[in-house]
Amino acid sequence: MPGARRISILGSTGSIGRNALDIIARKPADFKVTALASRSDWQTMASQARQYKPALVAVYQENAASRLRDQLRGSGIEVVEGVDGILEAASLDEADVVISAIVGAAGVMPTYAAVQSGKIVALANKEALVAAGRLITEEAQRTGARIIPVDSEHSALFQALMGQDRSAARKVILTASGGPFLGRNRVDLAGVTPAMALNHPRWKMGPKVTIDSATMMNKGLEIIEARWIFDIPADRIEVLIHPQSIVHGMVEYQDGSVMAQMGVTDMRIPIAFALSYPERLDMGLEPLDLASVGRLDFHAPDLEMFPCLGLAYRALKLGNGIPAVMNAANEVAVESFLSGKLAFNGIADVVRAVMDEPPEFDDKTLSGILRGDQLARAAARRITEMMESE
Amino acid sequence: MPGARRISILGSTGSIGRNALDIIARKPADFKVTALASRSDWQTMASQARQYKPALVAVYQENAASRLRDQLRGSGIEVVEGVDGILEAASLDEADVVISAIVGAAGVMPTYAAVQSGKIVALANKEALVAAGRLITEEAQRTGARIIPVDSEHSALFQALMGQDRSAARKVILTASGGPFLGRNRVDLAGVTPAMALNHPRWKMGPKVTIDSATMMNKGLEIIEARWIFDIPADRIEVLIHPQSIVHGMVEYQDGSVMAQMGVTDMRIPIAFALSYPERLDMGLEPLDLASVGRLDFHAPDLEMFPCLGLAYRALKLGNGIPAVMNAANEVAVESFLSGKLAFNGIADVVRAVMDEPPEFDDKTLSGILRGDQLARAAARRITEMMESE
């Protein structure tokens, strides 16, 4: 690529962040790290900072920040902390690309900040567009920020739309592996433990995303994201179960052509694509061998088995902040499930209950949406506690 | 599309030609027919001419031309004949797009004429690039003619390269249904009759192409075409058996992404794409329903079962006119098979024998290549007659 791209990574100690750093390590001539940001894992950040030598490291937790500051004393690397620190890392002038990979609602404000700064935003955080899709995409239009999805499914759609007649795109199709519980029924799922749900057959991801994948809320969030990334209405976004996770996404055009992006299940492919777009890097990864995969299956999702998918379509249709409510309720419910308190099927029940009586808030501003998020969390916690004690 | 595109169709009475006219009939605002050309089927041409009102109709056979002239008297449609007539239809000033769909070596000169006239050439004839790939692509560069493949596999590759980082394309993969004899062995094939070979499981095509599909020489010719259309060496062109014929072609990029084009097996999709490129038309065709297809299979081709595939790779590697020799020998052998004289397995034997002792000719000029084609045909006829009498 012409000159090294300067990359800031929000969420550098997570799964996406570590994969991004792996790519950067493989292509030192193509990338330089400008800033790293993370919540609290100062040990990992210390070793990342030493290896990649960013100008700035931001840590959300104050204690962790001061530990890291001690570690990096004399290195010339500035350590900042708190929300302000994260936002500073998100909007650093020196960066060309900001990888937004802080998980959950905590990633919304940093994503907005990166968009506000007109960066290329390699977007892995799902919640930013789910909760504040309109605000963020409108701001991107204003500043010229370009949002390139890092999620394998949206990256596939992005690639399948590149250079094509956009006006002729009739439908986008997100594939879903179906998670670890494909083929089970709803009754089977009643006894699912966190360990069972965390054992995803295809992708290695963080715990929150893995549980979302098991409930298919992951796909629900992706539907809402796709609506904003590709400016396409809900009724033109489809989900197809594809257990092998080789085809990551497809775009159906009005002439009958379907353009698809395939690849092995390696997050580094979509991450690298977002970093190098429109070029494609040779990272020395194992190529896809379709002859040895042999067989690809596709079928329609079972909405009864995966109620979260239907809830997401409903949230998108309702609009007015309901996707933010859904997302917040889901985060609380997943946390409770992961801590062993809430049953697996309870996740959808909590989300539905909160959506049925949503808090009131102003969804036209980021602060309003973040307040709605808090209110929805509080409501979800009340409901979750009730269900936990059942 | 901005204004109607003016289309000339060489081979209008064949399978591709009729499908092209079907598309034009569905989109009268988008297309106008400028010229039609065909070998001898004056009855079909008369009805096509009356329906589509071209300025010119060319018929190769003189008798057929004069019959057609009688039929169209007073219509204002000019009827021309012979090779000159076909070449006139191929290079008419008024046309924007020339569909080159005359089957066999007879399509080489008209294709060259269309390229020479700087047209958009919607290329269905395989032999032009097989026999004269270098000449034709160099001429296209000189005149600015754009070759857009009509063949579903090459159209898929074309679409999977559109708007992408071409320099990062590592491999192109042509899929093959495997034809009607997939899973049989070479001994089984000894008794194959023309009727059995003409019964293709996926595509409705003309007899020559259908037999080529059964021997996989079709795919062999496509490998050679792909080399010229996409300027990519033989060792980066792969064939993958895919019995469902849903994925028509794939491009593997160096980042590990594979872009694929899929669709139902309807020739109108790639034909329309070549006519409307870069736009995509809504022709009201049934969309692909992957959930109801359910399953896609892929495996490596059996080169022992399909020796024509190996012969094509060898011809491409040898160069120096050998692809033209291979193609000519194959045409003679297929004709002999279709007339019930040559055995199915004899087709590859004839082609191999002619390639083993190829005629000498100048492959740097079109006339030299066409002479080589004639010499190879003569050699193939001698060998075929010997084998027929066995």
Side-chain angles (χ1 to χ4, degrees):
Chain A
M1 298 197 295
R5 276 195 190 166
R6 295 160 304 173
I7 315 285
S8 292
I9 306 180
L10 314 180
S12 68
T13 60
S15 162
I16 299 286
R18 282 180 281 113
N19 274 307
L21 288 170
D22 175 84
I23 294 160
I24 292 170
R26 284 162 185 259
K27 301 303 250 181
D30 291 317
F31 303 114
K32 261 194 68 60
V33 175
T34 304
L36 297 172
S38 191
R39 212 175 75 88
S40 59
D41 180 358
W42 59 271
Q43 290 100 328
T44 303
M45 296 211 81
S47 87
Q48 290 179 343
R50 284 193 202 98
Q51 182 176 353
Y52 294 95
K53 302 187 174 39
L56 184 83
V57 177
V59 187
Y60 177 74
Q61 284 195 352
E62 284 180 34
N63 286 346
S66 66
R67 295 278 203 119
L68 183 61
R69 205 169 282 121
D70 290 345
Q71 289 282 322
L72 297 180
R73 203 172 303 282
S75 67
I77 298 171
E78 190 185 354
V79 177
V80 293
E81 63 195 36
V83 172
D84 288 348
I86 303 280
L87 295 181
E88 188 180 345
S91 49
L92 218 60
D93 271 351
E94 289 72 20
D96 303 306
V97 182
V98 175
I99 303 179
S100 168
I102 292 175
V103 173
V108 177
M109 268 176 66
T111 302
Y112 189 80
V115 166
Q116 223 171 8
S117 317
K119 305 295 186 193
I120 296 172
V121 180
L123 185 61
N125 169 280
K126 287 187 155 52
E127 291 73 10
L129 290 184
V130 170
R134 185 177 300 278
L135 275 181
I136 286 176
T137 50
E138 282 176 0
E139 183 66 9
Q141 267 176 0
R142 198 184 64 79
T143 64
R146 169 131 216 180
I147 296 171
I148 305 183
V150 159
D151 208 23
S152 65
E153 291 83 353
H154 296 104
S155 178
L157 298 181
F158 189 94
Q159 294 177 52
L161 283 162
M162 249 172 95
Q164 303 285 342
D165 178 3
R166 281 291 293 259
S167 68
R170 190 154 53 183
K171 206 191 274 179
V172 303
I173 301 164
L174 296 156
T175 58
S177 70
F181 305 132
L182 191 66
R184 307 272 197 101
N185 63 40
R186 186 131 171 92
V187 176
D188 287 346
L189 297 188
V192 161
T193 63
M196 288 158 76
L198 285 171
N199 185 27
H200 193 277
R202 299 284 165 194
W203 293 100
K204 291 277 150 263
M205 304 171 292
K208 162 69 165 57
V209 180
T210 304
I211 301 306
D212 283 347
S213 175
T215 62
M216 285 195 76
M217 179 56 96
N218 192 41
K219 216 47 57 176
L221 298 174
E222 287 175 12
I223 291 166
I224 300 173
E225 278 188 283
R227 185 262 169 269
W228 295 111
I229 299 175
F230 305 111
D231 193 18
I232 190 164
D235 59 359
R236 303 229 232 139
I237 305 169
E238 276 188 14
V239 172
L240 213 50
I241 304 288
H242 168 43
Q244 293 90 356
S245 292
I246 296 295
V247 177
H248 303 307
M250 294 173 260
V251 177
E252 180 191 307
Y253 293 91
Q254 64 184 8
D255 64 346
S257 275
V258 173
M259 299 304 299
Q261 189 263 359
M262 308 186 190
V264 296
T265 49
D266 188 326
M267 277 308 297
R268 288 173 297 183
I269 298 174
I271 296 170
F273 181 77
L275 296 184
S276 66
Y277 166 85
E279 292 179 39
R280 292 178 184 275
L281 301 175
D282 184 353
M283 296 169 284
L285 302 183
E286 201 64 32
L288 172 64
D289 180 356
L290 261 187
S292 87
V293 171
R295 170 177 174 168
L296 305 177
D297 293 282
F298 300 90
H299 58 87
D302 178 347
L303 290 179
E304 212 169 317
M305 169 85 178
F306 297 111
C308 287
L309 210 49
L311 290 173
Y313 273 112
R314 193 175 123 202
L316 186 50
K317 206 172 142 192
L318 291 170
N320 287 314
I322 301 300
V325 168
M326 179 194 81
N327 174 60
N330 180 59
E331 282 199 29
V332 169
V334 170
E335 244 170 66
S336 172
F337 169 71
L338 280 172
S339 68
K341 291 178 196 158
L342 188 68
F344 184 76
N345 287 337
I347 297 173
D349 295 337
V350 168
V351 173
R352 187 184 299 106
V354 178
M355 282 173 67
D356 280 346
E357 288 180 63
E360 279 182 31
F361 60 95
D362 173 19
D363 74 322
K364 305 287 178 291
T365 65
L366 200 58
S367 58
I369 289 167
L370 291 173
R371 168 140 179 79
D373 174 87
Q374 291 304 318
L375 292 171
R377 268 164 213 275
R381 256 179 231 114
R382 282 192 302 276
I383 293 167
T384 305
E385 273 159 30
M386 269 166 28
M387 294 182 68
E388 285 169 3
S389 60
E390 268 170 16
Chain B
M1 297 195 297
R5 277 195 189 168
R6 295 160 304 172
I7 315 284
S8 292
I9 306 180
L10 314 180
S12 68
T13 60
S15 161
I16 299 287
R18 282 180 282 112
N19 274 307
L21 288 170
D22 175 84
I23 294 160
I24 292 170
R26 282 163 186 258
K27 301 303 252 182
D30 292 317
F31 303 114
K32 261 192 67 62
V33 175
T34 304
L36 297 173
S38 191
R39 211 174 76 87
S40 60
D41 180 359
W42 59 271
Q43 290 100 328
T44 303
M45 295 211 81
S47 89
Q48 290 180 342
R50 282 194 204 98
Q51 182 176 353
Y52 294 95
K53 302 185 174 40
L56 184 82
V57 177
V59 186
Y60 177 73
Q61 284 196 352
E62 284 181 32
N63 286 346
S66 67
R67 295 278 202 119
L68 183 61
R69 206 170 281 118
D70 289 345
Q71 289 282 321
L72 296 179
R73 204 172 301 283
S75 68
I77 299 171
E78 191 185 353
V79 178
V80 293
E81 65 195 35
V83 172
D84 289 348
I86 303 280
L87 295 181
E88 189 181 344
S91 49
L92 218 60
D93 271 352
E94 289 73 19
D96 302 307
V97 182
V98 175
I99 303 179
S100 169
I102 292 175
V103 174
V108 177
M109 269 176 66
T111 303
Y112 189 80
V115 166
Q116 224 171 6
S117 316
K119 306 294 187 194
I120 297 173
V121 180
L123 186 59
N125 169 280
K126 287 186 154 51
E127 291 73 10
L129 290 184
V130 171
R134 185 177 300 277
L135 276 180
I136 286 175
T137 51
E138 282 176 1
E139 184 66 10
Q141 266 176 0
R142 199 183 64 78
T143 63
R146 169 130 216 180
I147 296 172
I148 304 183
V150 159
D151 208 24
S152 65
E153 291 82 351
H154 297 104
S155 178
L157 298 181
F158 189 95
Q159 294 177 53
L161 284 162
M162 249 172 94
Q164 302 286 341
D165 178 3
R166 281 291 293 259
S167 68
R170 189 154 54 185
K171 206 191 275 177
V172 302
I173 300 163
L174 295 156
T175 57
S177 70
F181 306 131
L182 190 66
R184 308 272 197 100
N185 63 40
R186 186 134 170 91
V187 176
D188 287 345
L189 295 189
V192 162
T193 63
M196 287 159 76
L198 285 171
N199 185 25
H200 193 278
R202 298 285 164 193
W203 293 100
K204 291 277 149 262
M205 303 172 292
K208 163 70 166 55
V209 180
T210 304
I211 301 305
D212 283 348
S213 175
T215 63
M216 286 196 76
M217 179 56 96
N218 192 40
K219 216 47 58 176
L221 298 174
E222 287 174 13
I223 291 165
I224 301 174
E225 280 188 281
R227 184 262 170 270
W228 296 110
I229 299 174
F230 305 111
D231 193 18
I232 189 163
D235 60 358
R236 302 229 234 139
I237 306 170
E238 276 188 14
V239 172
L240 212 49
I241 304 289
H242 168 43
Q244 294 89 356
S245 292
I246 295 294
V247 177
H248 303 307
M250 294 173 260
V251 177
E252 180 191 306
Y253 292 91
Q254 65 183 8
D255 64 346
S257 274
V258 173
M259 299 304 299
Q261 189 263 358
M262 308 185 191
V264 296
T265 50
D266 188 325
M267 278 307 297
R268 288 174 296 183
I269 298 174
I271 296 169
F273 182 77
L275 297 184
S276 66
Y277 167 85
E279 293 179 39
R280 293 178 184 274
L281 301 175
D282 183 353
M283 297 168 284
L285 303 182
E286 201 62 32
L288 172 64
D289 180 357
L290 261 187
S292 88
V293 171
R295 168 177 176 169
L296 304 177
D297 294 282
F298 301 89
H299 57 86
D302 179 347
L303 290 179
E304 211 168 318
M305 169 84 178
F306 296 111
C308 288
L309 209 50
L311 291 173
Y313 273 112
R314 193 175 122 201
L316 187 50
K317 205 172 144 192
L318 291 170
N320 288 313
I322 301 301
V325 168
M326 180 194 81
N327 174 60
N330 180 60
E331 282 198 30
V332 170
V334 169
E335 245 170 65
S336 171
F337 168 70
L338 280 172
S339 69
K341 292 178 194 157
L342 188 69
F344 184 76
N345 287 337
I347 297 173
D349 295 337
V350 168
V351 174
R352 187 184 300 105
V354 179
M355 281 173 66
D356 280 347
E357 288 181 63
E360 280 184 29
F361 59 95
D362 173 18
D363 74 321
K364 304 288 179 290
T365 64
L366 200 58
S367 59
I369 290 167
L370 291 173
R371 169 144 177 76
D373 174 87
Q374 291 304 318
L375 293 170
R377 267 163 214 275
R381 258 181 230 112
R382 281 192 303 275
I383 292 166
T384 305
E385 273 159 29
M386 269 166 30
M387 294 183 70
E388 285 170 2
S389 60
E390 269 170 16

